[in-house]
Amino acid sequence: MVLITFALPIMYSITTTLACNKTSTSKFFAYGYELKSVTAQMIVISIKTFLLFLIHSTFPFLIAILFCNLCLSCSSSFNCLTQKVLQYPPKEFGLSEQVDILQGKAKIDDILDNMQDIFSLPSLLVIMSSFLSCCTVLGINLNGINSNGLATSVLFFGVPNLVSLIAVLWTAGGLPVEQHKLKGAFYKKVHIRFLMLRCSEEPQCKREILDKPEFVLNGCNIFSYTRSSILAAVGTLLTYTLLVYQY
């Protein structure tokens, strides 16, 4: 995925250089200065488009990839704890085993707290950048602006940014799902153990995990990253599409 991300600006630069009107495009990138040499025009266009894509899309994509990998790692850790709980027979799921699960969850919770502190603003900016890029591509295609570059805009800006937007929300939204599964497995195992042993004097740790709500990552306390947010984002894009199409 990282290699593809770094390959995109090169592919975009080559595609744009070959497909565009070299005279007008090079004049635009050269701040109004008209270049006579075709070679100079191609060099200016390729360098400018490469840097444009690198700054505008590649860096946000790299942040999104790192963020998604961390979310997947935490989700996998929660899933491992859930499987560990399910493997215990109810009679063997005693206090020490319960505390061990809670300690493992506490470590993951600390990682999530650090992720929230570090990625709160960057992840929000990535989501906003991807969303606005999708809106821009939709606007260009619906209004027929720069018709020669429609395929390029969709291929290099529309699709990657839409994938980035969905990937960030889907992976981050998987964290509360895995936490809910862990809570359910933990409660069920402790409850079955209680019914089998009928030992009311045994300390119960289930409240420690059940009373704490699922941790949901968010962007600066403005936007919560849940999987249902994907539908909201897509719905907003469709609404924007209809509004632009009407005008």
Side-chain angles (χ1 to χ4, degrees), residues 91-136:
K91 291 184 178 180
E92 296 180 8
F93 195 56
L95 180 61
S96 60
E97 289 77 14
Q98 296 176 30
V99 171
D100 181 59
I101 297 297
L102 293 177
Q103 288 176 342
K105 183 180 182 300
K107 292 179 181 179
I108 305 174
D109 290 340
D110 290 338
I111 295 175
L112 291 178
D113 288 333
N114 292 330
M115 284 181 58
Q116 176 62 39
D117 294 336
I118 296 172
F119 286 97
S120 179
L121 180 59
S123 61
L124 179 63
L125 293 178
V126 167
I127 290 175
M128 291 178 61
S129 174
S130 299
F131 181 79
L132 293 176
S133 295
C134 291
C135 290
T136 302

Side-chain angles (χ1 to χ4, degrees), residues 56 130-142 153 237 240:
H56 181 271
S130 299
F131 181 79
L132 293 176
S133 295
C134 291
C135 290
T136 302
V137 172
L138 280 174
I140 291 174
N141 283 270
L142 290 175
S153 66
L237 280 173
Y240 169 80

